[in-house]
Structures are given as C-alpha cells and as structure tokens.
C-alpha cells in the first residue's frame, strides 16, 4: 500500500497553481528545501529555468509592475506541475538574493515583486534622473501623509493634502497616483458604509516591503522640527509593532 506524504504549508509566499481560479493556494516560503519541492527536473534544468524566471522578474522590476504567476507559466512552459513550479521558484529566490541583492515577495494579486535587500528607505536623490526625483519625492510625501493619518486617507483627503503642498499638485498628480497603485506602492479600498461610498488609500505591499515606518516617522519629525518620534503615540506604536515583527521573523 502506497503512503502519501503531505508537505506542511509555510508562510509569506502565495503560489498560484491554477490560472483559471481566483482562490489562493497554500502559502509557502522560499526557505523550503529542494527535497520539499522535489520534481523530475534535473539540477541543471532547475537552474536554467530559475534563471529565466529571474530575467522575467528583472524585466518586470524595471517597470515596477508585479510579475503574475500566470505570466511565468505562459513564458516557461516546462513548469507544468506544482512541484516543478515550487522548486524553480525556490531556486530563483536564492539566485535573486545572492546574485542581485533582491528578495522575491508575493503580492495579493497572484504575482511577485522584487525588494532591494541592500538599499535604504530613501534613495539618494542625486543619483536619480530629475523626473524620477520628483516622482520619488511625491511618493514619500504621500506615504508619509497616509502613515500620519493612522494608515489610511480618502481620495479627497489626499488631494487636499497635495493641494496644500502645491495648488496644482492635487489634480496633476492623479496619473502618478494611478502608477503608484499599479506598482503596489498604494492600495485602494472602497468603504461601502458611507454615502456615497468612499475610496481610501493605504500602503501597498511594495511600500510595506521597501519603506521602514520608523524612518518615515523620523522624516516627518525632521520636517516639523524639534519633535521626537515617540511624541506621535499611534505612529510610534506601529513602529514598535513593525520592529517586533522583524525580530520574531529573524
């Protein structure tokens, strides 16, 4: 009688196994061993396919748009089984971190983004083109405003904030806000309990991965001047929760 073994699901990475379903599959971690994701691919094949996944991830990262699981499967037809997909993604995660300094992170829309593990929260502006410098500055301002507004802000509230910075910024920044939504720096949800329903902005997966709340709070304190981070009770609590979470996961 054959015995069936069942791998214990791990956390952090949601792997989409069926392109036709919207259901989330088991959550798995890139620290899984090769034996847990055993398949019929040779070690050479796994490395080759993982390299192709890395190329796809890097191409998507240039546009700051998540790479969907379905796109990986369409682009690499050899990944037919669940076990082969898992094994190749594990190898791709190892290669991205060791060779490029990036960590592969899953997002809620059945896709993956790259997070720089060697960079800092705030990019050095002198290293950025002028257009990117403006965009990065706007992103930091928006994320800081949302964070200081207890983690969420309505569309109207955000436009009012941007207009306070510049009279024309509220309307002219709409395209960039849509880009931040596509790139997963921002996430929007609709509150149906209000009349009319209200769209709220929160930090997206990429913002939570790339930006440190403590650094953002310190940045705000510098802007206000003569203030300590601990003076912002709610925000300081979130900073401590973020630090506790990092310590428990390490």
């Amino acid at each position: 009688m054959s015995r069936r073994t069942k791998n214990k699901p791990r956390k952090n990475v949601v792997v989409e196994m069926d392109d036709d379903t919207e259901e989330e599959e088991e959550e798995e971690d890139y620290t899984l061993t090769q034996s847990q994701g055993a398949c019929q691919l040779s070690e050479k094949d796994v490395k080759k396919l993982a390299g192709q996944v890395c190329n796809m991830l890097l191409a998507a990262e240039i546009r700051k748009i998540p790479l969907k699981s379905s796109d990986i499967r369409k682009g690499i037809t050899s990944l037919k089984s669940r076990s082969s997909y898992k094994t190749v993604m594990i190898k791709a995660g190892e290669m991205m971190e060791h060779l490029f300094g990036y960590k592969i992170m899953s997002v809620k829309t059945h896709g993956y983004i790259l997070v720089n593990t060697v960079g800092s929260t705030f990019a050095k502006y002198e290293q950025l083109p002028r257009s990117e410098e403006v965009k990065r500055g706007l992103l930091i301002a928006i994320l800081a405003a949302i964070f200081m507004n207890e983690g969420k802000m309505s569309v109207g509230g955000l436009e009012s904030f941007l207009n306070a910075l510049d009279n024309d910024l509220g309307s002219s920044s709409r395209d960039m806000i849509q880009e931040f939504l596509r790139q997963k720096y921002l996430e929007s949800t609709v509150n149906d309990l209000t009349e009319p329903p209200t769209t709220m902005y929160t930090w997206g997966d990429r913002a939570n991965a790339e930006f440190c709340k403590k650094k953002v709070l310190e940045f705000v304190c510098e802007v206000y001047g003569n203030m300590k981070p601990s003076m912002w009770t709610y925000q300081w609590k979130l900073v401590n929760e973020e630090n506790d979470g990092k310590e428990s996961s390490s």
Side-chain angles (χ1 to χ4, degrees):
M1 183 184 348
S2 62
R3 292 184 300 176
R4 291 160 56 180
T5 60
K6 196 170 187 179
N7 292 332
K8 186 177 180 180
R10 303 292 292 276
K11 59 182 181 178
N12 292 339
V13 178
V14 176
V15 180
E16 179 188 18
M17 304 310 300
D18 185 353
D19 296 335
D20 297 325
T21 181
E22 294 296 325
E23 295 182 0
E24 290 186 350
E25 295 293 328
E26 292 182 21
E27 294 184 345
E28 296 167 299
D29 197 323
Y30 285 112
T31 57
L32 290 173
T33 64
Q34 287 288 341
S35 59
Q36 287 175 297
C39 63
Q40 296 180 350
L41 295 173
S42 67
E43 185 176 345
K44 183 178 179 180
D45 289 337
V46 170
K47 189 173 182 179
K48 179 181 177 181
L49 295 175
Q52 293 179 28
V53 172
C54 289
N55 288 336
M56 296 175 72
L57 285 164
L58 290 168
E61 181 64 15
I62 292 174
R63 296 177 294 151
K64 288 290 184 183
I65 294 177
L67 176 64
K68 295 181 179 178
S69 293
S70 56
D71 290 337
I72 295 176
R73 290 178 172 281
K74 290 175 184 176
I76 306 176
T77 55
S78 303
L79 299 179
K80 295 180 180 180
S81 70
R82 180 174 185 168
S83 60
S84 63
Y85 180 86
K86 181 171 68 174
T87 302
V88 169
M89 290 304 298
I90 291 169
K91 186 64 178 178
E94 294 173 353
M95 292 171 67
M96 288 304 309
E97 189 152 11
H98 295 158
L99 299 178
F100 301 102
Y102 282 103
K103 181 179 179 181
I104 301 175
M105 178 180 174
S106 67
V107 293
K108 297 175 183 176
T109 53
H110 293 298
Y112 303 98
I113 62 174
L114 295 178
V115 178
N116 191 339
T117 59
V118 296
S120 60
T121 295
F122 301 111
K124 294 183 178 179
Y125 292 140
E126 62 270 17
Q127 296 178 353
L128 297 173
R130 175 59 183 169
S131 59
E132 289 300 314
E133 177 183 330
V134 172
K135 190 182 299 183
R136 188 73 172 180
L138 178 62
L139 173 62
I140 292 172
I142 289 174
L143 293 177
I146 292 173
F147 178 60
M148 301 308 293
N149 198 52
E150 299 192 354
K152 58 183 181 298
M153 183 174 280
S154 67
V155 172
L158 183 57
E159 285 192 2
S160 297
F161 165 75
L162 294 175
N163 280 326
L165 299 178
D166 186 309
N167 288 333
D168 298 323
L169 195 55
S171 56
S172 63
S173 62
R174 289 173 185 169
D175 288 343
M176 278 194 278
I177 290 174
Q178 290 303 310
E179 184 175 346
F180 295 152
L181 286 166
R182 288 193 299 271
Q183 294 172 348
K184 303 301 180 182
Y185 282 115
L186 295 177
E187 184 173 319
S188 64
T189 55
V190 177
N191 183 1
D192 294 324
L193 300 178
T194 61
E195 185 57 43
T198 306
T199 299
M200 305 294 293
Y201 290 128
T202 58
W203 282 29
D205 289 327
R206 191 186 292 275
N208 283 310
E210 290 186 5
F211 287 85
C212 171
K213 290 182 173 65
K214 182 179 180 181
K215 294 290 186 183
V216 173
L217 185 55
E218 289 174 349
F219 168 73
V220 172
C221 289
E222 286 182 14
V223 172
Y224 276 89
N226 198 30
M227 294 195 73
K228 295 181 179 180
S230 57
M231 296 173 68
W232 300 88
T233 307
Y234 179 81
Q235 288 76 14
W236 188 243
K237 178 183 176 183
L238 294 181
V239 166
N240 290 325
E241 288 176 354
E242 182 181 65
N243 290 336
D244 292 342
K246 289 179 179 179
E247 290 176 0
S248 63
S249 62
S250 62

